[in-house]
């Protein structure tokens, strides 16, 4: 990474503290990613994107700002990127996947809270995230209680717009979400001074759909046995998707898929167990579970998470001639995301079963960030449904620290052995 100290200083960052983060990241990335064998050539772009995540991309975003663009940070896949783009702004999905920010988060939040929330608040409070520092506004949502209340704290530091997400999926809730998107459009127009029109909204819908399609193409390739790409690499691609320039991301993901299509012609069986991860998101640089699982005799072939299928499944229709038509299309697509903050949320269980078949998985690991109650409670339903289908399941609840890595490794090892032995025990909690 080049020298960006002047840029970071202009963003009001705590440079000394940020140096500590910058030192740790390349080391972790090197030992987890660069030690993998036989990686696709086209992963070089994503290596670069990660290496420059606090550098070149921040420079690019700030150049856009200098040219009058606004930058908007988001934390949840319910916030429609299409609206941000149609208003001529730059959208960034904020990281919040590092243990580094937990200590500062705990200065203003209770300790017994999900690490993702503590990390994003800590990143803001400590002024060590250049995306946060570059953002003109943060868009929150009323998904879980922790996030909902944490936005009140972030609001003490910068402008925040919170979207009220309904918690059920009745017809009136679709209407409510449509109204929320409408309010979000007004707020974006106010922020940017640009009008959201049918034309620019359709263009934005089309662009985000193309990004979804590129990710879907990558995931479809992972259905091959063995997968032509590691779970770690696929996770990195998705993590980069939240921060990168969209056109460039699509181009590089499609180039990677072209290469993987060639690879699948000559795949040799590896005998590795095929694993699905389901549960809470893994924001960059959270590679903990993937590195443990793929350090053993297994490959992760699909993530039913918001840094996985929930991010790209389902496109937004461009049918219609009015903003109201497009609002309905947006509401329809986004309300179909099966997050555990909804009740009931049976469609998520159905998705997991469907993916288990489509990706031909040998077992599922339920990944729960500590203190995430909605996903923790939903475990039981998933457990029952998978037991009915005789699909092995392992429950892992963890945070961002490395303290339990050894214990998780032992449990995953035992799980893989159990799958291998064909034992009748289907769930391990
Ligand atoms: S759509 S999963 S990104 S809310 S912050 S709910 S882990 S306690 S991130 Fe999420 Fe949107 Fe749902 Fe996806 Fe639990 Fe933590 Fe809350 Fe979390």
């Amino acid at each position: 990474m080049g020298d960006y100290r002047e840029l970071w200083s202009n963003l009001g960052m705590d440079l000394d503290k940020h140096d500590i983060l910058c030192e740790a990241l390349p080391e972790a990335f090197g030992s987890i990613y660069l030690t993998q064998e036989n990686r696709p050539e086209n992963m070089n772009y994503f290596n670069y994107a990660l290496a420059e995540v606090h550098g070149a991309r921040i420079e690019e975003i700030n150049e856009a700002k200098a040219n009058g663009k606004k930058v908007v940070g988001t934390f949840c896949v319910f916030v429609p990127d299409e609206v941000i783009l149609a208003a001529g702004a730059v959208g960034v999905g904020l990281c919040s996947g590092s243990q580094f920010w937990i200590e500062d988060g705990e200065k203003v939040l209770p300790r017994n809270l999900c690490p993702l929330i503590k990390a994003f608040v800590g990143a803001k409070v400590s002024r060590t995230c250049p995306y946060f520092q570059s953002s003109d506004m943060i868009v929150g949502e009323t998904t879980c209680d922790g996030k909902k209340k944490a936005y009140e704290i972030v609001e003490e530091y910068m402008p925040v717009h919170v979207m009220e997400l309904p918690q059920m999926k009745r017809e009136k809730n679709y209407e409510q979400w449509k109204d929320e998107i409408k309010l979000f459009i007004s707020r974006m127009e106010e922020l940017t001074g640009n009008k959201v029109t049918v034309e620019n909204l359709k263009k934005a819908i089309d662009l985000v759909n193309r990004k979804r399609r590129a990710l879907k193409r990558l995931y479809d390739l992972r259905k091959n046995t063995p997968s032509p790409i590691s779970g770690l690499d696929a996770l990195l691609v998705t993590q980069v998707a939240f921060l990168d320039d969209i056109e460039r991301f699509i181009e590089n993901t499609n180039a990677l898929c072209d290469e993987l299509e060639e690879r699948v012609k000559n795949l040799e069986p590896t005998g590795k167990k095929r694993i699905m991860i389901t549960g809470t998101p893994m924001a960059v640089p959270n590679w903990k579970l993937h590195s443990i699982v793929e350090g053993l005799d297994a490959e992760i072939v699909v993530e039913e998470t918001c840094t996985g299928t929930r991010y790209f499944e389902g496109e937004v229709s461009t049918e219609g001639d009015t903003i109201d038509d497009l609002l309905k299309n947006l509401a329809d697509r986004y309300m179909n995301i099966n997050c555990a903050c909804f009740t009931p949320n049976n469609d998520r269980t159905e998705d997991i079963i469907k993916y288990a078949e489509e990706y031909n998985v040998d077992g599922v690991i339920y990944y729960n960030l500590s203190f995430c109650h909605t996903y923790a409670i939903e475990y039981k339903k998933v457990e029952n449904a998978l037991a009915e289908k005789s699909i092995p399941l392992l429950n892992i609840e963890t945070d961002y620290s490395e303290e339990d890595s050894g214990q998780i490794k032992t449990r995953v090892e035992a799980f893989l052995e159990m799958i291998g032995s064909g034992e009748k025990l289907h769930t391990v909690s």
Side-chain angles (χ1 to χ4, degrees):
M1 187 161 62
D3 185 0
Y4 298 98
R5 291 182 79 79
E6 197 184 330
L7 170 64
W8 295 331
S9 168
N10 291 340
L11 291 172
M13 294 178 63
D14 179 336
L15 295 186
D16 292 340
K17 203 166 206 177
H18 184 244
D19 281 349
I20 305 172
L21 180 63
C22 288
E23 271 165 33
L25 193 64
E27 207 182 296
F29 186 73
S31 67
I32 293 173
Y33 273 88
L34 305 180
T35 51
Q36 293 181 94
E37 282 169 18
N38 194 24
R39 294 178 78 206
E41 280 275 306
N42 283 280
M43 280 310 294
N44 284 337
Y45 170 73
F46 299 94
N47 293 345
Y48 166 80
L50 196 274
E52 288 292 334
V53 73
H54 279 199
R57 179 63 181 141
I58 294 298
E59 195 166 54
E60 192 174 59
I61 286 174
N62 280 279
E63 271 164 24
K65 270 173 83 96
N67 291 325
K69 285 216 175 205
K70 297 290 179 191
V71 178
V72 173
T74 60
F75 294 97
C76 176
V77 296
F78 273 101
V79 176
D81 287 338
E82 292 86 344
V83 171
I84 298 172
L85 293 167
V90 179
V92 284
L94 295 174
C95 326
S96 42
S98 172
Q99 176 70 14
F100 178 80
W101 291 308
I102 299 293
E103 196 185 328
D104 284 299
E106 286 180 350
K107 288 181 185 159
V108 290
L109 291 168
R111 296 189 68 188
N112 56 348
L113 199 64
C114 156
L116 197 144
I117 302 170
K118 288 192 282 194
F120 83 67
V121 174
K124 181 62 213 170
V125 171
S126 63
R127 295 180 288 113
T128 49
C129 171
Y131 290 94
F132 242 126
Q133 296 305 112
S134 302
S135 295
D136 297 288
M137 185 173 84
I138 291 298
V139 188
E141 18 48 57
T142 57
T143 43
C144 66
D145 286 352
K147 279 214 267 184
K148 185 167 73 188
K149 297 304 284 181
Y151 295 127
E152 293 175 21
I153 293 179
V154 176
E155 199 162 28
E156 291 169 20
Y157 296 81
M158 64 189 299
V160 176
H161 174 79
V162 177
M163 298 182 75
E164 185 183 357
L165 181 76
Q167 312 273 283
M168 294 177 83
K169 293 187 180 181
R170 296 162 299 182
E171 214 177 304
K172 70 171 191 175
N173 301 123
Y174 278 74
E175 282 301 313
Q176 285 166 340
W177 187 236
K178 195 177 131 191
D179 285 346
E180 274 301 313
I181 301 175
K182 200 171 175 182
L183 282 176
F184 180 40
I185 287 181
S186 305
R187 182 76 192 258
M188 284 305 302
E189 288 179 335
E190 206 179 287
L191 179 78
T192 60
N194 298 329
K195 188 102 192 104
V196 172
T197 62
V198 171
E199 200 191 358
N200 59 30
L201 189 51
K202 274 195 181 185
K203 222 168 129 194
I205 290 173
D206 186 57
L207 180 60
V208 181
N209 279 343
R210 286 202 291 120
K211 174 171 164 175
R212 293 187 180 112
R213 233 168 277 154
L215 281 165
K216 173 97 176 93
R217 188 177 166 208
L218 174 68
Y219 269 60
D220 282 345
L221 281 156
R222 297 172 79 191
K223 291 175 182 169
N224 286 285
T225 305
S227 167
I229 183 169
S230 68
L232 269 167
D233 279 340
L235 176 63
L236 181 63
V237 173
T238 316
Q239 289 174 337
V240 167
F242 283 86
L243 299 165
D244 205 1
D245 171 80
I246 304 187
E247 286 287 6
R248 190 174 56 219
F249 174 82
I250 295 169
E251 192 185 318
N252 282 286
T253 304
N254 279 324
L256 172 65
C257 291
D258 291 344
E259 182 183 350
L260 298 181
E261 267 168 16
E262 286 305 309
R263 273 195 174 210
V264 294
K265 292 177 187 163
N266 302 303
L267 288 176
E268 300 281 345
T270 62
K272 286 188 178 179
K273 298 283 171 301
R274 296 172 63 82
I275 301 296
M276 179 199 310
I277 303 288
T278 178
T280 46
M282 295 168 172
V284 76
N286 178 6
W287 306 305
K288 181 173 162 179
L289 186 60
H290 278 58
S291 65
I292 292 173
V293 173
E294 296 200 330
L296 298 167
D297 197 20
E299 57 176 359
I300 293 172
V301 293
V302 57
E303 297 84 6
E304 190 281 320
T305 66
C306 289
T307 39
T309 55
R310 270 181 251 138
Y311 183 46
F312 64 78
E313 285 285 15
E315 296 192 5
V316 178
S317 164
T318 47
E319 291 292 305
D321 306 310
T322 64
I323 285 283
D324 204 61
D325 292 335
L326 299 180
L327 280 172
K328 184 183 177 310
N329 300 347
L330 284 165
D332 285 350
R333 187 269 165 190
Y334 280 88
M335 284 291 281
N336 274 337
I337 299 170
N338 299 319
C339 172
C341 62
F342 283 98
T343 183
N345 190 36
N346 299 328
D347 290 351
R348 177 171 165 236
T349 312
E350 283 167 26
D351 285 345
I352 296 169
I353 304 270
K354 184 181 80 176
Y355 294 140
E357 282 161 16
E358 283 179 7
Y359 289 83
N360 192 21
V361 308
D362 298 303
V364 177
I365 299 182
Y366 199 102
Y367 173 74
N368 209 92
L369 282 172
S370 323
F371 306 111
C372 175
H373 300 315
T374 51
Y375 280 87
I377 294 168
E378 214 160 87
Y379 175 76
K380 199 72 200 150
K381 282 212 164 187
V382 173
E383 181 186 46
N384 292 343
L386 293 191
E388 240 173 67
K389 299 271 174 191
S390 301
I391 301 168
L393 176 67
L394 172 69
N395 190 16
I396 298 282
E397 178 159 331
T398 187
D399 56 17
Y400 295 161
S401 74
E402 292 299 325
E403 280 162 25
D404 58 355
S405 294
Q407 194 203 6
I408 294 175
K409 186 176 169 215
T410 308
R411 294 186 58 211
V412 173
E413 243 164 351
F415 180 61
L416 296 176
E417 264 173 40
M418 183 198 88
I419 295 173
S421 72
E423 268 179 53
K424 277 213 176 317
L425 175 65
H426 293 300
T427 59
V428 185
S429 296

